[in-house]
Amino acid sequence: FVSTYPPRRCGIATFTRDALAGLRGELPNATWSLVAMDDRAGGYEYPETVTHVIAQDSPDAYVRVADALNRSGAEVAFIQHEFGIFGGEAGSHILLLMRRLRMPIVVTLHTVLEKPSPAQKRVMDEILRRASAAIVMSETGADILARVHRVGPSKVHVVPHGAPERPFASPETFKAPLGLAGRQVFM
């Protein structure tokens, strides 16, 4: 996995944590490498789960980690893509890693732009060319990829965004810390 990861406060980080936990449950004998994208000097205190760290604005770090993954015997790379988590113009540094990897790459696109800037379109076009498969979380995302990037259903797979199962707790338990005790709340 190449993604953000807790303790970095990012929705993609928690998505990756939950996806990895689910995969570990389904494939208990598999070995996983986790590459965390770092966005600040001094980094984060990552758990042991994180095997590599890339400083997002360091082109050399992408190359070093790609080489390490190639040597590791990894069979597939799962990249969680979101604009803003990779360095370079429009996140172009991720291409440094993708160009060097010698394994299939599956990219999950957390945001699909209908009107990307020219730089965003260039980067996304190359990401899609280099990926063996792309995952989006809605039919709308797949439609945008077909129209804007000319990538069809043989490469694009829709996997609806889920949520991990959590034990049920009364909503009132969560309202008080938010200053909403006794109030009706809806989403």
Side-chain angles (χ1 to χ4, degrees):
F1 273 87
V2 179
S3 181
T4 56
Y5 201 78
R8 182 171 172 175
R9 295 177 62 99
C10 169
I12 306 304
T14 55
F15 176 93
T16 300
R17 180 198 61 211
D18 295 341
L20 187 56
L23 286 168
R24 282 189 163 142
E26 292 297 316
L27 303 166
N29 297 323
T31 302
W32 300 92
S33 294
L34 179 62
V35 179
M37 297 305 304
D38 234 341
D39 66 341
R40 67 180 193 185
Y44 297 90
E45 288 219 18
Y46 289 111
E48 289 180 11
T49 307
V50 174
T51 57
H52 303 83
V53 176
I54 294 176
Q56 75 180 34
D57 293 319
S58 171
D60 292 343
Y62 292 81
V63 172
R64 277 193 308 275
V65 168
D67 291 344
L69 293 174
N70 287 333
R71 286 189 306 271
S72 76
E75 296 178 48
V76 64
F78 293 97
I79 296 175
Q80 303 302 306
H81 181 274
E82 177 65 75
F83 292 99
I85 66 173
F86 303 111
E89 183 181 22
S92 61
H93 286 355
I94 191 60
L95 299 172
L96 299 170
L97 181 127
M98 293 179 79
R99 289 171 187 153
R100 282 184 87 89
L101 288 177
R102 295 188 311 262
M103 65 198 70
I105 300 169
V106 177
V107 62
T108 300
L109 304 173
H110 290 268
T111 299
V112 179
L113 299 175
E114 189 156 18
K115 295 181 179 173
S117 70
Q120 290 168 327
K121 183 168 184 332
R122 248 187 337 272
V123 170
M124 185 56 63
D125 284 345
E126 185 171 344
I127 287 171
L128 291 167
R129 271 194 317 276
R130 292 188 175 282
S132 300
I135 297 171
V136 293
M137 296 172 202
S138 69
E139 292 293 339
T140 301
D143 179 61
I144 292 169
L145 290 179
R147 285 185 291 105
V148 175
H149 300 282
R150 305 282 186 238
V151 180
S154 64
K155 184 173 272 196
V156 177
H157 307 275
V158 177
V159 179
H161 193 312
E165 285 192 32
R166 304 272 190 239
F168 179 77
S170 167
E172 294 304 316
T173 306
F174 303 102
K175 290 180 183 180
L178 299 172
L180 300 171
R183 299 184 71 181
Q184 189 172 20
V185 177
F186 71 94
M187 291 174 43

